[in-house]
C-alpha cells in the first residue's frame, strides 16, 4: 500500500519550491536546497550515479550489508514484532539485502519506506509486492519529519530506523545533530538506528565520485535548473552553467556548485523576478559530508544514542553504524521544528 496522505498537494509543494528558490537565489551567496534534486528525472539520474564506476558509496555499503547481514539482523531483529522504518529509501537496493535476511528467518516486522519521490515509492511497492510478497509494506511519500510524526501517532511498538546511503551527509554539521536528536526523540528504549556513513579517505577518490567522467553527476546537478524552468517557468540556459564539485579534506565536506559561465539575467515567471548572475558566480547546491568514526560516535552520543556496532567494507570507505537507545537513558532531546531541518 502506498500512503500518499503525507504528500503535500501539488500546489503547496510548488509554492514551497518557489519560496525556497526565491530565498536561495536572493542571497549574496546563492544556494539551492539539495532535496529538490529528486524530481522524476533527478531520481533516474541518481539511479545512474549509483551505477557509476566512480561512485563507490553504493557498492561499498552493499558490501557492508551483504557481508554482515546475519550479525546486523541478529542485533536488531530480536524476538517480537517491530516496524522497520527506512528514511530516504529510494529504490531500497541495499535494504533488500536486510529484507531478504529477515524474511528468511521469518521475523515479524512491517516495512515502512519513506521517500520524497512518489515515483520511487510506487516502484518500490510494486517490486516488493512481486519479489518479496511475504513482507508487509507500507510506503510513505513525504519528508522525514512528516513521516516520523505520522509514525509516532499511528504506529506503536518497537522501531528500527534505517538511514542508509550517507543521506545524513546532506545536512550541515549542526543540522545533522538536530536531525539525529529529533529521530532519537521519536524512539524508545530498545529501539535502534542503523546509519550509513561515508568515511574520510583519499580526497581524489571522493572528488571523482562527484565528478564522473560520463558527466552524469553534472547532469544531476544541472537538472535542478531544468526543474526550476519546468515547474516555475524559469528561463535558465543550462549550457551557460557548469557543474563544479570541490572537496575540502579538512572539514570532510564535498561541496557542489553550479557556476555561471557568463554575466546573465535569469527570469523566473512564477516569481515575477529576474536574478542577476555575475560571470563565474556560483550557486551552492549540495553538501556531502564525510565523517570519521569518532565523529560519528560523538554525534550519536550527543543525542543520547549508544554506539552498539560498526560495520565497514574491506577498504574502509564506508561504515554502517548501529546505534541503540538504552533502557536507562532518561534524557529527552527536544523536538525541533521542520523548517530548521530541511534547509540546506
Ligand atoms: C544521496 C545524498 C547520499 O551526497 O553522495 C550523489 C547524493 N549527489 N552525487 C551523496 C549525490 C551527487 C548523495 N546522497
Amino acid at each position: 500500500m502506498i500512503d500518499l496522505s503525507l504528500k503535500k498537494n501539488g500546489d503547496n509543494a510548488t509554492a514551497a519550491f518557489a519560496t525556497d528558490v526565491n530565498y536561495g537565489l536572493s542571497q549574496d551567496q546563492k544556494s539551492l536546497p539539495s532535496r529538490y534534486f529528486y524530481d522524476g528525472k533527478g531520481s533516474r539520474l541518481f539511479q545512474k550515479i549509483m551505477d557509476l564506476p566512480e561512485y563507490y558509496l553504493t557498492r561499498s555499503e552493499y558490501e557492508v550489508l551483504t557481508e554482515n547481514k546475519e550479525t546486523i539482523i541478529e542485533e536488531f531483529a530480536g524476538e517480537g514484532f517491530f516496524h522497520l522504518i527506512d528514511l530516504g529509501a529510494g529504490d531500497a537496493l541495499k535494504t533488500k539485502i536486510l529484507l531478504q535476511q529477515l524474511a528468511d528467518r521469518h521475523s515479524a516486522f512491517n516495512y515502512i519506506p519513506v521517500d520524497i519521490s512518489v515515483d520511487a515509492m510506487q516502484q518500490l511497492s510494486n517490486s516488493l509486492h512481486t519479489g518479496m510478497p511475504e513482507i508487509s509494506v507500507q510506503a510513505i511519500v513525504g519528508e522525514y519529519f512528516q513521516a516520523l510524526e505520522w509514525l509516532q501517532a499511528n504506529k506503536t511498538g518497537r522501531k528500527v530506523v534505517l538511514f542508509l546511503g550517507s543521506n545524513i551527509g546532506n545536512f550541515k554539521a549542526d543540522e545533522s545533530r538536530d536531525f539525529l536528536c529529533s529521530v532519537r526523540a521519536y524512539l524508545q528504549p530498545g529501539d535502534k538506528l542503523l546509519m550509513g556513513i561515508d568515511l574520510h579517505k583519499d580526497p581524489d577518490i571522493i572528488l571523482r565520485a562527484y565528478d564522473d567522467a560520463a558527466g552524469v553527476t553534472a547532469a544531476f546537478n544541472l537538472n535542478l535548473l531544468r526543474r526550476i524552468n519546468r515547474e516555475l517557468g524559469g528561463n535558465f540556459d543550462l549550457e551557460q552553467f557548469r557543474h563544479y564539485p570541490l572537496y575540502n579534506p579538512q572539514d570532510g565536506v564535498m561541496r557542489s556548485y553550479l557556476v555561471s559561465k557568463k554575466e546573465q539575467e535569469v527570469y523566473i515567471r512564477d516569481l515575477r523576478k529576474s536574478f542577476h548572475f555575475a560571470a563565474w558566480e556560483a550557486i551552492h547546491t549540495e553538501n556531502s559530508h564525510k565523517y570519521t568514526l569518532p565523529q560519528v560516535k560523538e554525534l550519536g552520543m550527543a543525542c543520547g544514542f549508544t554506539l552498539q556496532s560498526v560495520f565497514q567494507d574491506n577498504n574502509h570507505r564506508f561504515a554502517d553504524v548501529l546505534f541503540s537507545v538504552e533502557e536507562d537513558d532518561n534524557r529527552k532531546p527536544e523536538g525541533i521544528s521542520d523548517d530548521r531541518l530541511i534547509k540546506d
Side-chain angles (χ1 to χ4, degrees), residues 38 46 49 55 57 165-167 170 210 217 220 286 288 290:
Y38 304 92
F46 183 60
I49 287 175
Y55 197 74
L57 288 83
S166 185
N167 280 333
N170 273 172
Y210 295 84
T217 308
F220 175 73
E286 189 175 37
S288 301
K290 314 304 171 193

Side-chain angles (χ1 to χ4, degrees), residues 196-222:
I197 296 290
D198 194 18
L199 300 170
H200 281 225
K201 63 183 64 59
D202 184 331
D204 283 338
I205 297 178
I206 294 177
L207 188 58
R208 273 199 293 273
Y210 295 84
D211 201 14
D212 62 283
V216 182
T217 308
F220 175 73
N221 198 4
L222 283 160

Side-chain angles (χ1 to χ4, degrees), residues 43-331:
S43 297
R44 284 193 294 282
L45 284 167
F46 183 60
Q47 296 275 132
K48 281 179 84 177
I49 287 175
M50 290 192 289
D51 281 338
L52 291 170
E54 295 97 335
Y55 197 74
Y56 60 85
L57 288 83
T58 310
R59 270 185 313 280
S60 304
E61 188 170 42
Y62 197 89
E63 180 188 325
V64 176
L65 299 179
T66 307
E67 296 291 315
N68 298 286
K69 58 186 183 189
E70 284 93 354
T71 319
I72 294 172
I73 296 303
E74 206 53 50
E75 293 193 21
F76 75 44
E79 292 307 312
F81 178 86
F82 66 98
H83 299 289
L84 185 63
I85 301 155
D86 193 357
L87 299 179
D91 67 358
L93 180 76
K94 291 152 290 170
T95 310
K96 282 178 180 173
I97 302 165
L98 303 178
L99 293 176
Q100 191 59 58
Q101 187 67 19
L102 286 163
D104 291 350
R105 77 197 276 287
H106 305 291
S107 295
F109 74 107
N110 181 13
Y111 178 52
I112 308 178
V114 176
D115 205 283
I116 39 172
S117 166
V118 195
D119 295 4
M121 287 305 86
Q122 235 137 22
Q123 276 168 27
L124 178 57
S125 288
N126 293 341
S127 99
L128 289 173
H129 194 70
T130 33
M132 300 182 185
E134 65 276 34
I135 295 177
S136 134
V137 182
Q138 182 173 12
I140 296 183
V141 176
E143 286 180 12
Y144 299 142
F145 281 97
Q146 289 176 289
L148 284 169
E149 250 155 46
W150 183 85
L151 288 165
Q152 172 93 329
N154 293 283
K155 303 282 175 189
T156 52
R158 206 161 71 80
K159 297 183 179 78
V160 176
V161 175
L162 303 177
F163 195 44
L164 305 179
S166 185
N167 280 333
I168 185 101
N170 273 172
F171 293 115
K172 287 184 193 147
D174 54 334
E175 291 172 339
S176 53
R177 178 138 55 79
D178 290 350
F179 175 79
L180 273 196
C181 289
S182 301
V183 171
R184 167 65 189 82
Y186 287 104
L187 301 179
Q188 301 292 322
D191 291 349
K192 311 273 176 183
L193 167 68
L194 182 69
M195 185 164 73
I197 296 290
D198 194 18
L199 300 170
H200 281 225
K201 63 183 64 59
D202 184 331
D204 283 338
I205 297 178
I206 294 177
L207 188 58
R208 273 199 293 273
Y210 295 84
D211 201 14
D212 62 283
V216 182
T217 308
F220 175 73
N221 198 4
L222 283 160
N223 180 56
L224 204 46
L225 304 184
R226 185 182 287 112
R227 184 175 185 178
I228 295 174
N229 286 350
R230 202 188 53 244
E231 294 185 17
L232 305 178
N235 71 350
F236 277 103
D237 177 356
L238 271 58
E239 295 289 310
Q240 296 306 333
F241 286 84
R242 63 160 294 201
H243 168 62
Y244 188 77
L246 183 68
Y247 180 64
N248 178 338
Q250 196 154 49
D251 62 12
V253 183
M254 177 69 228
R255 293 181 174 84
S256 296
Y257 301 91
L258 288 167
V259 179
S260 175
K261 293 189 199 170
K262 60 171 191 186
E263 181 176 11
Q264 53 184 324
E265 296 289 324
V266 174
Y267 183 69
I268 301 180
R269 191 195 56 220
D270 291 6
L271 302 176
R272 288 182 203 84
K273 196 164 155 186
S274 279
F275 296 89
H276 178 79
F277 290 84
W280 307 112
E281 182 174 355
I283 312 171
H284 175 227
T285 54
E286 189 175 37
N287 277 353
S288 301
H289 213 115
K290 314 304 171 193
Y291 288 92
T292 65
L293 287 174
Q295 283 173 335
V296 175
K297 183 177 180 186
E298 189 64 41
L299 193 60
M301 277 173 51
C303 298
F305 283 109
T306 304
L307 183 61
Q308 185 175 331
S309 308
V310 177
F311 306 96
Q312 291 182 81
D313 63 311
N314 283 324
N315 294 318
H316 291 203
R317 289 184 173 179
F318 201 95
D320 281 282
V321 297
L322 185 63
F323 284 118
S324 60
V325 181
E326 301 293 326
E327 292 294 342
D328 60 357
D329 183 84
N330 296 323
R331 47 165 293 171

